[in-house]
Amino acid sequence: EAGVVQSPRYKIIEKKQPVAFWCNPISGHNTLYWYLQNLGQGPELLIRYENEEAVDDSQLPKDRFSAERLKGVDSTLKIQPAELGDSAVYLCASSSTGSGSYNEQFFGPGTRLTVL
Amino acid sequence: TQLLEQSPQFLSIQEGENLTVYCNSSSVFSSLQWYRQEPGEGPVLLVTVVTGGEVKKLKRLTFQFGDARKDSSLHITAAQPGDTGLYLCAGAKGGKLIFGQGTELSVKP
């Protein structure tokens, strides 16, 4: 079974440019998460989707970040415009409803963003 | 304020040594998970503990959930270079996972 797929794996852009990340979760997983991870730190949740609905976007900086999961499967996270402080790894994870309160999540390899 | 505090943040040991990583909080979690992350990869789930006082073993790794479900520990026996990586604890609360800041482990041959 394929795991969580993310692309691109690496992205280097200049500040003020837009950037987009793509994630395809594990087949059948209806919950999708986007996290931000700074070097040597734990992931921090940006947004959580249940199917196509964003059920928790309280930590998403909405002035420059946006996300969508139109058909409840794959998802796109966008930053426009990017700032120097956005340099980090952006992780996507998915889980199934059956995990219940255990909330066992499966992570993709991440996209490493460098803003120059 | 970090909801989950991991200690130590960095650990460098020789092959064959034992070590313990701690994950502490003032909050109660419905479950707690341990992940291991290698450079350039996403975190990989090692174990989930659910019941207060629960102990789970995974080969040379022993995980314990505190009686009050607020803290956990990971003990590695006879560490090997392949154990090198970032170890993350994460508590399940309110439908989401809250991660600690991680423990960077380096095992030298």
Side-chain angles (χ1 to χ4, degrees), chain A residues 39-41, chain B residues 6-13 86 102-106:
Chain A
L39 187 64
Q41 298 293 314
Chain B
Q6 282 188 241
S7 61
Q9 281 192 265
F10 301 95
L11 192 54
S12 181
I13 61 173
L86 179 69
T103 295
E104 193 76 56
L105 172 65
S106 174

Side-chain angles (χ1 to χ4, degrees), chain A residues 40, chain B residues 6-21 34-39 46 60-61 74-88 101-108:
Chain B
Q6 282 188 241
S7 61
Q9 281 192 265
F10 301 95
L11 192 54
S12 181
I13 61 173
Q14 293 295 130
E15 181 176 3
E17 292 183 13
N18 301 331
L19 67 114
T20 302
V21 176
W34 284 92
Y35 290 80
R36 177 168 164 266
Q37 185 176 22
E38 295 189 50
L46 296 174
R60 295 176 293 101
L61 278 60
L74 158 61
H75 182 79
I76 301 180
T77 303
Q80 299 176 0
D83 295 328
T84 293
L86 179 69
Y87 287 82
L88 296 158
Q101 77 272 42
T103 295
E104 193 76 56
L105 172 65
S106 174
V107 183
K108 295 178 174 22

Side-chain angles (χ1 to χ4, degrees), chain B residues 25-107:
Chain B
S25 176
S26 56
S27 295
V28 176
F29 296 101
S30 56
S31 67
L32 194 137
Q33 298 168 20
W34 284 92
Y35 290 80
R36 177 168 164 266
Q37 185 176 22
E38 295 189 50
E41 299 297 328
V44 175
L45 180 66
L46 296 174
V47 78
T48 300
V49 285
V50 179
T51 307
E54 182 176 5
V55 177
K56 279 192 175 179
K57 292 191 174 184
L58 187 66
K59 297 183 180 178
R60 295 176 293 101
L61 278 60
T62 301
F63 305 86
Q64 185 161 7
F65 203 11
D67 290 342
R69 292 188 288 128
K70 294 181 179 180
D71 53 81
S72 181
S73 64
L74 158 61
H75 182 79
I76 301 180
T77 303
Q80 299 176 0
D83 295 328
T84 293
L86 179 69
Y87 287 82
L88 296 158
C89 66
K93 194 176 185 69
K96 60 185 178 183
L97 282 183
I98 299 167
F99 282 84
Q101 77 272 42
T103 295
E104 193 76 56
L105 172 65
S106 174
V107 183

Side-chain angles (χ1 to χ4, degrees), chain A residues 16-19 60-67 77-86 90 115:
Chain A
K16 299 185 181 179
Q17 294 300 305
V19 64
L60 189 73
K62 299 182 183 64
D63 56 337
R64 297 184 300 108
F65 286 65
S66 65
L77 177 69
K78 297 178 181 177
I79 308 175
Q80 182 171 10
E83 296 179 353
L84 294 177
D86 296 332
Y90 291 83
V115 182

